Amino acid sequence: MLILRVGETSWTLIQEFHAETKAIYLNAKQDGSRLVTTNYIIAELVALLSSPLRIPRVKSIKFIESIKTSFLVDIIHIDEYLDTKAWELLTNRRLIVRVLP
């Protein structure tokens, strides 16, 4: 089992480790390894994708859902009920654009 931690990083580190992370994922896929993270790390990733990366909300949600449903990834839920409710709030919230005067 390989444990990966994505949190507490910056955009620079993500760029720097993208190739390595991709290789780890592909190797896990080939040899049947499992990747383990927590819902807190997923929450940090959501924040990172929205700012500073400014990934569009729809793309971010699609990406996170691909992680959540991946057969390679085991997510340890610190509080599964709370995580489910928070994810529902995020995915169901309408994007509100405010125009400043």
Side-chain angles (χ1 to χ4, degrees):
M1 179 184 321
L2 178 63
I3 299 176
L4 297 178
R5 186 153 191 261
V6 179
E8 296 178 12
T9 187
S10 68
W11 172 229
T12 305
L13 287 176
I14 285 179
Q15 287 179 319
E16 185 178 324
F17 292 109
H18 179 264
E20 182 180 357
T21 303
K22 184 177 179 180
I24 289 170
Y25 183 84
L26 292 175
N27 286 337
K29 189 174 181 179
Q30 276 186 331
D31 67 18
S33 295
R34 306 285 296 175
L35 305 174
V36 178
T37 191
T38 71
N39 63 307
Y40 282 10
I41 299 302
I42 299 292
E44 289 180 21
L45 183 56
V46 169
L48 181 66
L49 292 173
S50 66
S51 175
L53 300 182
R54 300 186 192 273
I55 303 295
R57 182 184 167 87
V58 172
K59 281 187 173 186
S60 294
I61 289 172
K62 185 176 179 181
F63 177 66
I64 297 298
E65 286 189 349
S66 73
I67 293 172
K68 288 179 162 242
T69 59
S70 173
F71 66 95
L72 292 177
V73 180
D74 289 326
I75 300 173
I76 298 169
H77 290 88
I78 307 305
D79 184 329
E80 192 165 1
Y81 174 79
L82 187 58
D83 179 67
T84 300
K85 290 299 177 188
W87 186 248
E88 287 173 3
L89 283 173
L90 176 73
T91 57
N92 293 328
R93 191 183 93 216
R94 293 184 320 152
L95 181 60
I96 298 172
V97 178
R98 296 182 185 177
V99 179
L100 300 176

